[in-house]
Amino acid sequence: MRDTHDEGGNGDGGTPSGRDGAPKFGRLLLVLLFALLMVVAITFGSEAYFT
């Protein structure tokens, strides 16, 4: 008797898909935009503080 829990290999019910662990580009874009805004804010803030 075969165990049916391991047929897919990825543990989601036996339906293999190539999108397991696919990057979430929308979230990545938001994080990169936030990081860019932080760099700009720190740049302008340090410019105002040191001059």
Side-chain angles (χ1 to χ4, degrees), residues 5-16 20:
H5 294 289
D6 294 333
E7 284 186 13
N10 57 2
D12 65 348
T15 56
D20 244 10

Side-chain angles (χ1 to χ4, degrees), residues 2-51:
R2 290 178 50 185
D3 188 10
T4 59
H5 294 289
D6 294 333
E7 284 186 13
N10 57 2
D12 65 348
T15 56
S17 71
R19 298 190 56 84
D20 244 10
K24 299 184 173 38
F25 291 110
R27 185 181 302 170
L28 178 63
L29 185 62
L30 288 177
V31 169
L32 289 175
L33 184 62
F34 179 72
L36 179 67
L37 289 176
M38 288 298 297
V39 168
V40 169
I42 290 171
T43 301
F44 280 114
S46 64
E47 179 73 21
Y49 182 76
F50 287 115
T51 57

